[in-house]
Amino acid sequence: MTFKAPDSLAEQIAHHLAERIIRGEMKARERIQEQKVTQSLNVSRGSVREALLILERRHLINILPRRGAQVSELTPHHVQSLYALMMEMYILLANAVAQRWRTDDDLAPFRAIQLRLEECLKEHDIGNFVDASFDIMRAAYPFADNPYLEETVENLLPAISRTYHLALEQRKGEMAQFMLAFADLLQAVIAREPARIRDVLLAYGQHNCQLVLAALAGR
């Protein structure tokens, strides 16, 4: 594989390695050797090192002294901690939309994503379903107008995506459950009901967290 400008080379490498980790092609505690990546992707060692720092910031790898980089583990504690934090950030984003939407045009991006999710559900397309579900948060960023929140969510999305893939591969029927939760959430946002927004997202987060924990236990 050969990567080209104008996109950041390190970002491209990080994305390539992240996809392999998220989809389970690279296993927990598997070593990532700089030289091997450099040769297989035909890129510089400096770019690989920068990519590994990006992956560490996104909680997909650990860089250990004298041992180099290795894929991070998914433990029950990590999963529970991740979901506890992510749900609070999702609640912040949803409340920002609820407070600031004014016209149907403001809600159009969310309805478009809902249609894409329905298509993915019909086709049992897990990968694109997960990607589309994250677009919900990105559509909410302009309403929150909070660069710190946006940066934190973006850095955690690969880790949460990894758990989504694990859970959905175990139980593909859960895509329909997500659709129901998103429909309830959208109604709560339109009605500007912060308490209902919180209830819907916490219930969804707890449900999905339990799915991931069950998938981990069944490995």
Side-chain angles (χ1 to χ4, degrees):
M1 181 176 292
T2 301
F3 295 113
K4 298 179 181 179
D7 293 336
S8 162
L9 187 58
E11 282 283 357
Q12 291 181 67
I13 298 166
H15 178 76
H16 170 73
L17 294 174
E19 284 297 304
R20 295 192 62 202
I21 295 169
I22 288 167
R23 297 180 188 280
E25 296 170 18
M26 298 179 71
K27 307 298 183 184
R29 292 185 289 183
E30 180 176 337
R31 288 192 62 200
I32 304 174
Q33 298 179 13
E34 289 182 13
Q35 186 174 357
K36 199 171 180 180
V37 175
T38 297
Q39 292 173 348
S40 65
L41 301 182
N42 191 27
V43 292
S44 70
R45 196 155 186 170
S47 295
V48 172
R49 286 175 180 167
E50 188 179 347
L52 294 178
L53 291 173
I54 292 170
L55 292 176
E56 185 180 42
R57 189 166 65 247
R58 293 174 183 168
H59 307 279
L60 293 179
I61 70 168
N62 298 315
I63 300 176
L64 307 172
R66 296 183 296 279
R67 285 189 286 171
Q70 65 179 34
V71 178
S72 62
E73 288 190 83
L74 270 180
T75 67
H77 175 67
H78 288 150
V79 170
Q80 290 167 330
S81 300
L82 178 61
Y83 273 87
L85 178 59
M86 287 299 291
M87 288 310 111
E88 292 300 329
M89 290 191 289
Y90 288 177
I91 289 166
L92 285 173
L93 288 170
N95 280 331
V97 180
Q99 292 165 10
R100 296 179 180 175
W101 78 268
R102 293 293 177 265
T103 69
D104 285 343
D105 285 346
D106 292 334
L107 300 172
F110 301 101
R111 299 194 192 282
I113 293 167
Q114 195 171 28
L115 291 175
R116 283 169 51 205
L117 288 166
E118 289 172 359
E119 287 300 316
C120 292
L121 176 60
K122 289 176 186 175
E123 297 173 7
H124 303 287
D125 185 346
I126 292 176
N128 283 324
F129 187 92
V130 171
D131 290 343
S133 71
F134 290 150
D135 285 341
I136 297 168
M137 278 75 77
R138 293 185 173 116
Y141 289 159
F143 295 89
D145 192 22
N146 185 330
Y148 304 105
L149 176 60
E150 181 175 339
E151 181 181 5
T152 304
V153 172
E154 284 296 321
N155 279 331
L156 289 174
L157 282 184
I160 204 82
S161 179
R162 189 180 177 191
T163 72
Y164 281 11
H165 276 275
L166 177 63
L168 289 174
E169 286 291 355
Q170 294 289 326
R171 296 177 63 182
K172 293 185 179 182
E174 291 300 325
M175 288 193 287
Q177 184 70 26
F178 178 89
M179 290 298 302
L180 292 174
F182 180 46
D184 286 346
L185 177 62
L186 194 54
Q187 289 177 4
V189 166
I190 292 171
R192 307 186 201 276
E193 296 179 343
R196 186 176 165 198
I197 287 170
R198 185 172 188 83
D199 287 346
V200 169
L201 283 171
L202 288 181
Y204 166 72
Q206 184 176 20
H207 176 75
N208 207 62
C209 183
Q210 291 304 312
L211 282 178
V212 177
L213 293 175
L216 280 176
R219 279 180 164 182

